Amino acid sequence: MRCLASGVAALTIVLAAATLVTANNLATQGGTSQLLDQEIATLQAENTELQAENASLTSITRVYQAALAAGFSSPKHLENLTKPAPVALRNP
Amino acid sequence: MSIAVIAVRLFYWQVMDGDNLARAAASQRSLTWQIPAQRGEILAQDGKILVGNEAGYLLFASTVDLKESAGIVARKLTPIILASQQEDRVGLTLPKDFELPTLDAKDLEKSLTNKLSAPDDYYIPLAHRLKQKYADQIEALKIFGLGLDPEPRRLYPEGSLLATTLGFVGASSTGEPQGYFGLEGFYNGELAGRSGVEQLERDAAGNPILIGQVNTLPPQDGRTITTSIDRFVQLVVETHLRDGVEKYGAKRGTAVVMDPKTGAILASVTWPAFDPRGFQYFTKDFYKDGAVSDTYEPGSTFKILGMAAGLDTGTVGPDTVCTECGGPFKVQGQEIHTWNNQYFPTGETMTKVLEHSNNVGMAWLATKMGKDKFYSYAKAFGVGEPTGVDIQGEESGVFYQLKDIAPIDLATMAFGQGFSTTSLKILQIAAAVANNGVLTEPHVVTKLTDQGRDIPVSVKAPKQVIKPETARVLTQMLVNAVDHGEAHRLVPPGYRVAGKTGTAQVAVAGHYDPNKTVASFVGFAPAEDPKFVMIIRYDQPTSTPFGATTAVPTFMDITKELFGYYGIAPSIP
């Protein structure tokens, strides 16, 4: 009987300690969670910046200005080439 | 005794003041913050960004918490904020003779000092939409009492392209981001989204307690809108129109290109206009989209509608001869003259009336048709009403009520004078002719996207306003008008372009100013299967007043490029 009581008491103490440790860990992990949130925010900001950079680089205005600067110009004259008809159609 | 005192005190704290203390404790340990929603993007037809977002910050001060003097803080902040303002000005597209206000470091420092000297204020905005690098520089100063809140910046990868159609984002009366003009204004509700809120319990160090109470209302990001704008077409039209405004000494230029089959707007330009990257430097006049907001007397481009009505009602055919074109048209004691005082006693068919842009011929046609029929067609085409385009600021112009139309009004209405409308309405009329007589609703946005889910945008159902045969005949007449007009040499060889010039007088203080015109051309090509319909308009060109010598050359230059872009081969060998 005494053994049983001691066992229960020990178990209770262990469980209580475990609960305390777990609760403490959860509570203090709030700090870690905040750091992670900040990291996520930083990565999201970097991603937004990269998207903005991509948009600027693929801008038609930028490409046009770069083309002009490189010496390209709009064609002055357009010639439409007509494809010759396939042989079978030419010789029915 | 002491136990009694303690008991009384405990009773007071627990029971009498319990609720107040519980609330105070809750506010002390709870942390609430707003989670801003991301404003939606505006995309071109090809999915590329026309308007996006980039990181930005609002710098604010809590003067209650400032440890250093206002002057010292202002002195430290001035070079950073000034550099930010200077960088924001780099690359702005400015109209001719337009100057930005000078940035002065001393004025900025004085302004910051004044704001920072405000007594006991928790939140004084000092600078808006600072880029990340400037926010980092300010943080590095480690000035207690300053804070940085996220305030995203709008990103314009295409610079000032499409400015008046896009609009801009300013602040509402409550300081929230608000779209003004163009698409930002029209679709503000869709683009804005809704901020979220998160409330959770924190420990003494301010860190969140995970097992504590958490209440979250997630933000709802704004919807992305996809437009029908073709970036290449926009660039081509914008380049040529700006050149034209300069070349012809016009006060303003407007151009719109539209798909006649669907009403989808492919390009829209107003110049001079503002640059959305620096919208705060411009006045309201620069914000307006000329195609939808500027009303004017359309002049001869309106003859398209009158002729359509005449053909469709059977009043006239293309070969019907005007029997009163030998001299000025007399009505209600007044005379209507041709634009060049040239008259045709014989052989002036309806086809020739359009070719010669004959005001007398049109007045004769309208009078022969009668005001009831003419008016019914005007209303069928929606003259005097907005087109319903999804751009904020659309005007409808001023048109007659049937009962108020006198014979002289009917005669002048036939050649586009005596009432007002917009360029987009004239374009819509021409588009109906190009589209087998079917009127479509112009629109810019084709779909909204909400968290990956596409939501189509509904437009008004197309309406048959004239018979397909009428449209076909009128198209031939308009091709003839171009081929035999003053600018026929400008038509790209081998192609058939249908269109009509307009040179409308400008009413000033109750009379028409002889020195001012609105020069325009509306047309579509290729005539046999139109790929696009376009209107070019110059307000008060000074080099030459006529549509044929200003708007037509610009139209043809753009058309040549569009033929190449769309791979449209010549139809005439």
Side-chain angles (χ1 to χ4, degrees):
Chain A
M1 208 50 191
R2 202 181 286 174
C3 265
L4 186 64
S6 304
V8 168
L11 188 63
T12 306
I13 291 165
V14 166
L15 285 173
T19 307
L20 203 63
V21 166
T22 306
N24 181 61
N25 282 343
L26 276 173
T28 55
Q29 271 167 24
T32 311
S33 164
Q34 198 168 32
L35 284 171
L36 284 170
D37 282 342
Q38 278 170 8
E39 204 178 317
I40 290 170
T42 305
L43 287 168
Q44 279 175 339
E46 275 175 27
N47 187 40
T48 304
E49 214 173 303
L50 285 168
Q51 282 181 340
E53 197 181 327
N54 177 49
S56 295
L57 287 170
T58 55
S59 147
I60 198 167
T61 318
R62 191 197 75 86
V63 169
Y64 178 68
Q65 295 298 335
L68 284 180
F72 288 91
S73 61
S74 294
K76 296 280 183 289
H77 176 71
L78 275 176
E79 190 81 36
N80 285 281
L81 301 174
T82 49
K83 234 172 21 175
V87 171
L89 280 177
R90 270 188 273 142
N91 301 311
Chain B
M1 181 65 179
S2 52
I3 291 171
V5 168
I6 290 167
V8 165
R9 203 64 190 147
L10 282 172
F11 178 81
Y12 174 78
W13 284 332
Q14 291 281 345
V15 179
M16 304 289 290
D17 205 28
D19 287 342
N20 288 340
L21 289 171
R23 266 196 295 275
S27 71
Q28 197 174 43
R29 69 171 185 274
S30 75
L31 195 60
T32 305
W33 65 78
Q34 201 180 54
I35 309 168
Q38 180 95 308
R39 192 171 175 91
E41 293 175 329
I42 301 176
L43 308 180
Q45 193 189 88
D46 58 2
K48 294 292 185 188
I49 294 174
L50 292 172
V51 187
N53 297 297
E54 60 178 350
Y57 298 90
L58 164 70
L59 172 66
F60 67 91
S62 170
T63 55
V64 168
D65 299 316
L66 273 182
K67 300 272 188 277
E68 298 171 72
S69 74
I72 291 173
V73 173
R75 202 166 307 130
K76 287 182 184 177
L77 290 175
T78 295
I80 300 171
I81 296 175
L82 190 70
S84 167
Q85 289 175 348
Q86 283 166 341
E87 185 176 319
D88 282 347
R89 290 173 156 212
V90 170
L92 287 184
T93 304
L94 303 173
K96 192 178 160 187
D97 300 330
F98 188 96
E99 281 183 23
L100 293 174
T102 318
L103 291 176
D104 188 85
K106 284 201 182 98
D107 287 344
L108 178 60
E109 189 178 323
K110 191 173 164 188
S111 165
L112 288 170
T113 307
N114 287 341
K115 287 180 186 172
L116 290 163
S117 302
D120 298 341
D121 206 321
Y122 286 96
Y123 194 90
I124 300 175
L126 298 177
H128 288 274
R129 290 176 289 274
L130 293 168
K131 281 186 175 173
Q132 183 72 56
K133 64 181 184 187
Y134 296 109
D136 292 342
Q137 287 175 25
I138 289 169
E139 271 196 324
L141 294 173
K142 294 194 192 312
I143 298 174
F144 197 82
L146 294 182
L148 289 158
D149 270 348
E151 188 180 46
R153 296 160 54 94
R154 267 326 225 174
L155 174 72
Y156 300 95
E158 302 298 346
S160 63
L161 215 67
L162 201 63
T164 52
T165 306
L166 293 172
F168 62 89
V169 178
S172 68
S173 53
T174 53
E176 295 296 311
Q178 164 94 34
Y180 293 95
F181 297 89
L183 297 175
E184 294 273 23
F186 191 93
Y187 286 101
N188 183 64
E190 308 284 355
L191 290 165
R194 192 195 66 220
S195 296
V197 177
E198 188 162 73
Q199 184 187 56
L200 45 72
E201 291 182 317
R202 60 176 172 167
D203 60 21
N207 299 318
I209 301 171
L210 289 183
I211 55 170
Q213 202 175 15
V214 179
N215 296 315
T216 306
L217 178 66
Q220 200 172 342
D221 287 343
R223 290 173 169 174
T224 293
I225 62 178
T226 301
T227 68
S228 49
I229 299 294
D230 185 313
R231 293 186 303 150
F232 175 78
V233 177
Q234 180 70 30
L235 180 66
V236 166
V237 176
E238 196 139 343
T239 305
H240 284 286
L241 188 82
R242 288 190 194 183
D243 288 347
V245 167
E246 175 83 30
K247 185 173 165 186
Y248 303 121
K251 197 172 155 191
R252 199 153 149 94
T254 306
V256 186
V257 182
M258 191 168 84
D259 181 342
K261 297 182 173 71
T262 62
I265 291 177
L266 306 170
S268 180
V269 184
T270 300
W271 186 254
F274 72 108
D275 189 318
R277 297 167 295 180
F279 70 86
Q280 64 273 24
Y281 298 117
F282 297 81
T283 56
K284 196 175 170 181
D285 284 340
F286 289 96
Y287 300 152
K288 291 196 292 183
D289 185 324
V292 306
S293 299
D294 289 350
T295 57
Y296 70 115
E297 295 188 37
S300 296
T301 51
F302 196 70
K303 288 171 180 164
I304 295 176
L305 186 146
M307 191 59 72
L311 294 169
D312 210 53
T313 53
T315 307
V316 294
D319 298 322
T320 303
V321 175
C322 166
T323 56
E324 293 184 45
C325 282
F329 187 80
K330 295 182 176 58
V331 57
Q332 280 188 273
Q334 300 198 50
E335 285 187 346
I336 287 169
H337 297 258
T338 59
W339 68 272
N340 55 359
N341 280 317
Q342 201 177 356
Y343 299 95
F344 306 90
T346 58
E348 186 71 347
T349 62
M350 292 300 102
T351 301
K352 294 281 185 194
V353 163
L354 281 185
E355 184 185 314
H356 299 143
S357 200
N358 192 330
N359 295 344
V360 168
M362 289 307 299
W364 174 82
L365 163 59
T367 306
K368 187 175 165 62
M369 194 184 336
K371 74 171 185 180
D372 288 342
K373 283 182 187 167
F374 193 104
Y375 189 78
S376 72
Y377 275 86
K379 294 318 280 182
F381 277 92
V383 180
E385 289 154 27
T387 63
V389 72
D390 47 357
I391 298 172
Q392 193 180 60
E394 188 185 17
E395 297 287 338
S396 52
V398 178
F399 197 62
Y400 298 90
Q401 296 291 318
L402 178 61
K403 60 180 175 61
D404 298 328
I405 300 176
I408 183 67
D409 299 321
L410 179 63
T412 55
M413 194 193 306
F415 54 89
Q417 303 260 201
F419 65 95
S420 64
T421 187
T422 62
S423 300
L424 190 63
K425 173 53 71 179
I426 297 299
L427 185 70
Q428 190 189 28
I429 292 168
V433 177
N435 190 28
N436 293 314
V438 176
L439 192 78
T440 54
E441 184 182 70
H443 57 275
V444 182
V445 174
T446 52
K447 70 175 179 187
L448 307 172
T449 305
D450 189 355
Q451 294 171 41
R453 187 175 57 98
D454 286 344
I455 305 164
V457 171
S458 63
V459 292
K460 228 186 281 181
K463 187 171 77 161
Q464 192 82 42
V465 288
I466 55 175
K467 297 187 270 293
E469 178 59 19
T470 303
R472 192 190 63 77
V473 169
L474 183 52
T475 297
Q476 295 305 316
M477 293 165 76
L478 292 171
V479 170
N480 180 78
V482 169
D483 285 347
H484 293 91
E486 282 182 32
H488 67 274
R489 285 189 197 84
L490 298 173
V491 178
Y495 293 93
R496 297 171 73 240
V497 175
K500 184 73 195 74
T501 53
T503 305
Q505 292 175 294
V506 176
V508 176
H511 70 278
Y512 287 117
D513 190 315
N515 299 315
K516 291 182 182 168
T517 63
V518 174
S520 60
F521 182 81
V522 66
F524 49 90
E528 47 280 343
D529 182 20
K531 179 73 181 172
F532 56 86
V533 59
M534 175 171 29
I535 185 165
I536 305 290
R537 179 180 128 200
Y538 290 115
D539 292 355
Q540 301 176 37
T542 52
S543 63
T544 160
F546 302 109
T549 47
T550 54
V552 172
T554 302
F555 182 100
M556 296 302 173
D557 284 343
I558 294 170
T559 297
K560 214 183 311 185
E561 293 215 47
L562 295 188
F563 284 153
Y565 175 60
Y566 287 123
I568 299 169
S571 55
I572 306 169

